Amino acid sequence: MIPSPLRLRLDAAALVANWRLLDGLSGRAACGAAVKANGYGLGARGVVERLAAAGCRDFFVATWSEARALADLGVGLSVLHGIRAEDLADRPPQLRPVLASAEQVRRWREAGGGNCDVMVDTGMNRLGVSPEQVAQGLLDGLAIDTLLSHLVSAEEDVPLNGRQRDRFAALAGRTSARRMSLANSAGIALGPDYHFDLTRPGIALYGGRYRDGHAGIRQVATPEAQILQRRRVAAGETIGYNATFTAPRDMEVAILNLGYADGYLRCFSDRGRGRAGDAVLPVLGRISMDLTALSVDAAPHLSEGDWVAIDYDLPETAAVSGLSQYELLTGLGARFDRIWE
Ligand SMILES: *Cc1c(COP(=O)(O)O)cnc(C)c1O
């Protein structure tokens, strides 16, 4: 296969170390993995294979098409968006819906039931049945593997965290569920009261850090782009669309095969940074759809065909760009070769 001029270097050891750290933080609870949105942009299959080999047993995707694409790996997969009528046909049996409304519960029963998960809404007001519906018997007789709820603001210290935990804990023993699961990445760091039987980290597996407990989390994904052209730009000339950058002196500039269509969005214009060894290479001017200009005055040896790494530590890059750590990963496009090492 001819390599793309754009690649995402993926650190398998860091991914596994992050899962182990989160598994340790989860105490007696098992630690699963959210792999929706193509494993947060890294490639769901590569993530699931590596985490399953490390001992992870519970994986979460958003949709049935995501689940079907992973079904042959033989791991436990839960579909967070529940089940539509369209999803009932032709369903690999090891995939479980996370039923999230009375309508879905009815649909599941009518289709013959079977092992399922259920989402209870304790404050998000997004997906889930209410604790009142549970109390009224909506789930009676259903074969539930895991009862879930989802935290609204786990990365902040707000009273809603404790309220959600208490509402969820009150459901213990009220259903047939074998396990209960509340915490995402940030929720795990809220402590043992939030762990229940199973935790469901996503972003922290992939290098996201939101709380002190995440201090040991390592970067997993690093975009790298090839230099298509190196040029000298004379003092007073401008670079790129709308001439937002004017060279203050004669400058050495590299044009990278990377642009906003790859998820390197316009907010990185004049703010992003590349790196070659120890040399820091600032972005110059607007990010184009497929191209980015970098200053390479600090890297005289770089030439056409060389690769440049893009600074992508998630908390730092979120601060630089104004994007969330989640958006930084899930926006990475299809033109990247995803390379595990
Ligand atoms: C995405 C998701 C997670 C993982 O959340 P992170 O904040 O990425 O750790 C867990 N549970 C549910 C229901 C989700 O949708």
Side-chain angles (χ1 to χ4, degrees):
M1 207 182 74
I2 298 170
S4 165
L6 186 61
R7 65 191 182 198
L8 197 57
R9 260 200 311 111
L10 298 165
D11 185 338
L15 174 75
V16 169
N18 291 343
W19 181 76
R20 294 219 164 100
L21 187 150
L22 294 160
D23 187 36
L25 280 179
S26 299
R28 281 198 299 272
C31 184
V35 297
K36 60 201 185 192
N38 197 25
Y40 286 46
L42 276 61
R45 176 166 284 270
V47 169
V48 171
E49 285 171 345
R50 283 163 185 83
L51 293 184
C56 182
R57 291 289 167 265
D58 298 275
F59 294 90
F60 296 86
V61 293
T63 67
W64 285 89
S65 66
E66 290 181 334
R68 282 202 175 87
L70 299 169
D72 63 296
L73 295 176
V75 298
L77 274 167
S78 297
V79 182
L80 289 163
H81 290 186
I83 193 151
R84 307 170 302 163
E86 297 92 316
D87 300 318
L88 282 169
D90 214 16
R91 210 165 16 82
Q94 76 276 27
L95 309 186
R96 292 199 303 271
V98 182
L99 303 177
S101 70
E103 180 68 17
Q104 290 180 14
V105 170
R106 185 194 56 71
R107 182 175 297 131
W108 187 246
R109 286 187 201 277
E110 282 177 6
N115 227 7
C116 63
D117 297 336
V118 175
M119 175 67 73
V120 181
D121 183 16
T122 54
M124 183 72 98
N125 284 302
R126 210 174 54 171
L127 299 180
V129 303
S130 69
E132 293 70 31
Q133 287 175 306
V134 177
Q136 289 157 12
L138 177 71
L139 307 179
D140 291 0
L142 215 54
I144 303 174
D145 182 288
T146 306
L147 196 67
L148 288 78
S149 192
H150 194 43
L151 293 164
V152 172
S153 302
E155 73 283 6
E156 299 176 289
D157 291 311
V158 292
L160 184 53
N161 289 332
R163 285 209 299 276
Q164 286 195 273
R165 179 203 53 209
D166 293 346
R167 286 176 195 150
F168 192 53
L171 298 171
R174 305 288 291 273
T175 71
S176 68
R178 183 170 77 81
R179 303 184 295 180
M180 295 177 73
S181 173
L182 177 65
N184 63 349
S185 299
I188 291 170
L190 290 174
D193 288 355
Y194 290 81
H195 295 161
F196 293 87
D197 305 304
L198 171 67
T199 60
R200 310 185 305 268
I203 192 72
L205 292 170
Y206 312 116
R209 302 194 299 281
Y210 281 93
R211 286 193 157 273
D212 293 345
H214 297 154
I217 291 288
R218 288 157 57 184
Q219 181 173 346
V220 177
T222 306
E224 292 184 344
Q226 224 169 359
I227 296 175
L228 299 177
Q229 191 171 117
R230 181 174 171 131
R231 61 169 57 240
R232 191 161 185 85
V233 175
E237 287 288 307
T238 64
I239 297 173
Y241 282 120
N242 306 105
T244 60
F245 178 86
T246 304
R249 55 182 189 285
D250 290 357
M251 295 183 83
E252 288 292 319
V253 175
I255 309 302
L256 294 187
N257 186 96
L258 169 71
Y260 59 76
D262 303 302
Y264 201 60
L265 301 184
R266 203 159 112 163
C267 46
F268 288 106
S269 302
D270 290 311
R271 313 190 70 151
R273 277 183 316 235
R275 213 167 273 265
D278 291 336
V280 174
L281 315 173
V283 168
L284 304 175
R286 287 257 160 98
I287 307 292
S288 301
M289 185 183 293
D290 320 295
L291 297 169
T292 292
L294 295 183
S295 164
V296 287
D297 285 330
H301 58 283
L302 280 181
S303 59
E304 233 174 86
D306 286 343
W307 290 85
V308 171
I310 302 299
D311 271 11
Y312 227 65
D313 171 83
L314 292 179
E316 273 177 27
T317 310
V320 164
S321 65
L323 299 171
S324 74
Q325 298 181 49
Y326 297 83
E327 291 166 303
L328 287 170
L329 290 183
T330 58
L332 294 170
R335 294 192 292 192
F336 283 91
D337 282 344
R338 286 163 166 81
I339 299 174
W340 289 94
E341 42 195 35

